[in-house]
Every structure is written in structure tokens, then in C-alpha cells.
């Protein structure tokens, strides 16, 4: 059996770290199995779905290195969903309901007050044709519910183990709204049958759905995929993702200049028994993938950890692999400069400020009270600089002026770089060279 999986985002917003992790787990699994990865665009909600979001999702997945083997839109398949709905109607499993949202709300409140679970009472099942007609004459159009069996549905989840959902504790799910539009539940099952999906890998917020969906699978076909429901992401404190992190988009990470492999290494490893470490390629990540490694506890997403991994990845990155991007940023200095700065940057874009500082003519900042000190520093700087120059030079200045700590170093840093924080000065001095450094220490453009 060849493996076929799908990632099924709704193009009603941008991909964020949570849903892209679902994409990644699908991707790593299927590549490890040598199967097929389908990108399914869940755009049955025509009002809220946009082409721009759809294109954004594709751009994000491509950037992350998750290439799909085929893609399709649910909005092209309404005729197929209609015929599946007809089959369910004929089997007596899809029934028309006429309650308004207010009426349903009232029903639920009454049940709650009576201490009962707010499960739909199925009164629509008892409606006669005349009663239905009367509702329709009144201007109501029916919504359609799937008739659950009332039995316990079980499956062996690839992450959660034996699962059972008692469908008698669920409301019959609405599959089609009063305006004729489809909710997610039925189209997803129809497509999973059609595309012969072998593994449905998604977040554990879908576990209850699976109970109802498995009954719909059985009503329509002999095909039933395996299920894997993965724990959701939480913040580093173990609580739910903050609003900001929960909506942290992949586009944002891309614009921030993060490395796709750092994002995939983190999202592919958190919540698993593997250490969270940078991985050299998607192939490596997928060769290490196993459902058995995914724990039941939520996966902790920590932005600082992402930055750390990103920095580590850059530190290991060869000049030839970033050359084009550095050039696009306008960063010169070649391989030597890259090797000098790569250990000290968190994001590739950080190279820009190093480059500006190092190569563009600029005047540093000199406090009037440090003028004399900086002049002395300029005069005592040797013409030939090497790896020892910074420590020898500052030791000399310390001894001569009696300055130490911040008052010794900060005026030099400000004069040479114009900033109070930044590159390691011993290396920076080498990049600047004696002539530039001297000019800047004298308050001139260098
Ligand atoms: N569009 C659904 C979602 O984003 C897909 C869920 C599924 O994978 O079945 O929640």
C-alpha cells in the first residue's frame, strides 16, 4: 500500500506555526514512506476564502521546502459533495432540520439548566412532510444533519493509541447549512475517500470530529484511513500559545529572515522524544520521523529557541550557501567577512548592519568628554592589525588613562561603530582596518 497524505488548510488566513506543524508532520512522514503529499485547499467557505491567502499558503510551504505532489480546491468539487449528500439522504442518514439558531440556542440552554449535555434532541426526525412544507412556506430552508449511529466508534490512533468516541453523546453534526453551503465535515470525508488518503494526520482538536467522520466514511465507502491526532502547540510556559504566538505567521518568519530549516527543525522535533537540534536537511528530518516518537503532552513552542537554532544554523552555513542572499541584501566582504560575522548573527539580515558598519563611510559618536581619550586611542592604534591588536591596544589605554570597564570600552565602540551594542570589537577592528578606525576615532568619516 503506498502512503497518501494530505494537508488541508482553509485559505481564510495565513499559515501560522501551529498549522504548519501539521503540514510538516504529514510531509516528514510521507517522504520517509516514499508516498504522495497532497495539498488540499479547503475553500468551501466562499465568503471567507481568498486567492491571496491560497497563494500565501503555497508560497509558505514552498519556502519551507515542503513540495506537494498534487493539489486541488474543494470549491471545484461541489457536484461530488452533492452526490455524496444524496446518497446519505437515500440511506436515511441525512435529515432536514428547520430550527433557527435562536431555537437551538434555547434548547441547549434548557438542557444545560436541567443538568443534561447539550445534545440535539433529533426532533426534526419526527417531522411529517406536511410540517416540513409548512416550515418551507414560512420561508425556512432546511439545514441537514448526519444521523449518528449512537454506537461507540473506535480506532487505533497512531499517536494516541486506542480511541473511542461514544456517538450517543454527540449532536448529529450539521453537514449542510440552511443556505446550502457545506461545513467542513462531509467534503473532507468525500475527498479523503476520493484521493484514497491512507493517513489523516491532524491536530487533536479533531479527535471528536473523527468519531462522526468515521461513521460517514463507513456510510459512503469501504475506505477508511488511519488516523494520527497530534497534541497542539503551547507556549514555553506550557500554557496555550499566546495570542501573538498563536497567530505568528510563517510569512512573518520569512520576512524576518529566518531560515526555513531552523523553522522545520524546531517544529519537527518539539513534542517528540528526539532532542531539539538543528538538522541539515528535510531528508534528515524525515528519515528520523516516527509516530512513536510523538508524545501525548503538548509540544512547547519557544520563539527564543527558534532564534537560537537559527543562529546555530547560520554559524554552520558555508559562504557559498548564502552568497546570493547576502548579495541581495547588499552585504559585501566576501567569504572572509561572512566567516567573521556568522558566529555572531541570529538572522541573516543582521549581516546588513555589520556590513554597513564595516564598509560604508560613517562617523561614529564621540561624547565631548571622550574627545581626548579617543584622540589618544587613534594615535596609539598600530598600523598593522592582527588578532591580538584589540586586547593589547585596550590594555595600553587602560594603563595610560586609568579607565576601565564601560568607560574604557564604550567610547571606542561608539566611535568605531556608532552603536552601543553589536559586533565583537576585536573582530570588528580587523574588518575596519587601521585607517578607517583612526578616522572614526578622530570624529571623521571613515
Ligand atoms: N481544513 C481543516 C482544518 O484546517 C482540515 C482538517 C483536517 O485535516 O481534516 O482544520
Amino acid at each position: 500500500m503506498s502512503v497518501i497524505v494530505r494537508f488541508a488548510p482553509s485559505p481564510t488566513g495565513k499559515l501560522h506555526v501551529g498549522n504548519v506543524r501539521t503540514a510538516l508532520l504529514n510531509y516528514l512522514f510521507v517522504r520517509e514512506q516514499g508516498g504522495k503529499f497532497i495539498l488540499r485547499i479547503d475553500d468551501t467557505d466562499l465568503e471567507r476564502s481568498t486567492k491571496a491567502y491560497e497563494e500565501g499558503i503555497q508560497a509558505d510551504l514552498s519556502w519551507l521546502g515542503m513540495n506537494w505532489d498534487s493539489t486541488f480546491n474543494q470549491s471545484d468539487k461541489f457536484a461530488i459533495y452533492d452526490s455524496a449528500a444524496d446518497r446519505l439522504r437515500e440511506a436515511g442518514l441525512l435529515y432536514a432540520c428547520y430550527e433557527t439558531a435562536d431555537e437551538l440556542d434555547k434548547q441547549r440552554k434548557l438542557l444545560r439548566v436541567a443538568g443534561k449535555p447539550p445534545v440535539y434532541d433529533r426532533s426534526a426526525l419526527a417531522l411529517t412532510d406536511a410540517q416540513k412544507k409548512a416550515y418551507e412556506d414560512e420561508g425556512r430552508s432546511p439545514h441537514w444533519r448526519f444521523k449518528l449511529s449512537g454506537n461507540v466508534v473506535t480506532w487505533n490512533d497512531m499517536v494516541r493509541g486506542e480511541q473511542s468516541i461514544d456517538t450517543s453523546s454527540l449532536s448529529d453534526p450539521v453537514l449542510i447549512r440552511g443556505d446550502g453551503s457545506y461545513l467542513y465535515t462531509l467534503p473532507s470525508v468525500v475527498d479523503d475517500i476520493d484521493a484514497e488518503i491512507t493517513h489523516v494526520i491532524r491536530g487533536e482538536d479533531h479527535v471528536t470530529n473523527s468519531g462522526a467522520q468515521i461513521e460517514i466514511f463507513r456510510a459512503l465507502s469501504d475506505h477508511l484511513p488511519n488516523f494520527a491526532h497530534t497534541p497542539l502547540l503551547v507556549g514555553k510556559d506550557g500554557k496555550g500559545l499566546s495570542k501573538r504566538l498563536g497567530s505568528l505567521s510563517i510569512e512573518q518568519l520569512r520576512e524576518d529572515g529566518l531560515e526555513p530549516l531552523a523553522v522545520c527543525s524546531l517544529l519537527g522535533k518539539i513534542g517528540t522524544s528526539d532532542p531539539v537540534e538543528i538538522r541539515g536537511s528535510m531528508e534528515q528530518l524525515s528519515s528520523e520521523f516516527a509516530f512513536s516518537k510523538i508524545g501525548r503532552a503538548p509540544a512547547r513552542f519557544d520563539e527564543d529557541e527558534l532564534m537560537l537554532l537559527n543562529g546555530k544554523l547560520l554559524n554552520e552555513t558555508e559562504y557559498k550557501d548564502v552568497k546570493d542572499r547576502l548579495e541581495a541584501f547588499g552585504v559585501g566582504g566576501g567569504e572572509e567577512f561572512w566567516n567573521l560575522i556568522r558566529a555572531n548573527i541570529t538572522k541573516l539580515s543582521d549581516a546588513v548592519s555589520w556590513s554597513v558598519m564595516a564598509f560604508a563611510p560613517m562617523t561614529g559618536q564621540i561624547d565631548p568628554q571622550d574627545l581626548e581619550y579617543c584622540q589618544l586611542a587613534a594615535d596609539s592604534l598600530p598600523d598593522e592589525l592582527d588578532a591580538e591588536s584589540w586586547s593589547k591596544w585596550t590594555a595600553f589605554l587602560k594603563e595610560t588613562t586609568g579607565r576601565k570597564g564601560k568607560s574604557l570600552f564604550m567610547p571606542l565602540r561608539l566611535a568605531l561603530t556608532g552603536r552601543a551594542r553589536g559586533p565583537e570589537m576585536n573582530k570588528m577592528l580587523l574588518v575596519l582596518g587601521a585607517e578607517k578606525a583612526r578616522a572614526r576615532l578622530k570624529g571623521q568619516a571613515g
Side-chain angles (χ1 to χ4, degrees), residues 259 280 313-314 316-327 335 338 342 348:
E259 303 302 304
L313 179 66
L314 288 174
E316 289 165 14
T317 302
E318 301 288 331
Y319 178 64
K320 64 175 172 43
D321 297 324
V322 280
K323 183 171 177 283
D324 292 349
R325 288 164 63 206
L326 286 175
E327 278 169 9
E335 185 162 3
W338 172 247
R342 65 180 177 173
L348 196 70

Side-chain angles (χ1 to χ4, degrees), residues 6 8-10 40 42 184 188 192 200-202 205-206 213:
R6 83 306 193 269
S10 306
R40 184 182 90 196
D42 281 8
Y184 142 84
S188 183
D192 286 344
V200 169
I201 306 165
R202 57 189 179 187
D205 49 332
H206 283 290
Q213 284 187 323

Side-chain angles (χ1 to χ4, degrees), residues 159-198:
V159 173
R160 299 166 60 88
E162 281 302 324
Q163 296 293 294
S164 54
I165 299 284
D166 181 357
T167 64
S168 70
S169 67
L170 305 178
S171 293
D172 287 339
V174 176
L175 301 189
I176 306 173
R177 297 187 187 87
D179 65 3
S181 65
Y182 285 94
L183 280 103
Y184 142 84
T185 317
L186 177 65
S188 183
V189 171
V190 171
D191 286 334
D192 286 344
I193 293 170
D194 231 32
E196 297 178 355
I197 299 300
T198 57

Side-chain angles (χ1 to χ4, degrees), residues 77-121:
K77 301 191 64 180
F78 286 124
I80 295 174
Y81 308 143
D82 290 345
S83 76
D86 284 342
R87 283 177 55 208
L88 294 178
R89 272 187 206 101
E90 278 156 26
L93 291 172
L94 191 64
Y95 62 98
C97 303
Y98 293 85
E99 296 89 347
T100 62
D102 278 348
E103 286 164 358
L104 288 172
D105 207 36
K106 236 174 251 156
Q107 257 188 40
R108 277 192 293 265
K109 275 189 190 135
L110 285 174
L111 285 168
R112 250 188 234 114
V113 169
K116 293 183 184 152
V119 175
Y120 175 61
D121 65 6

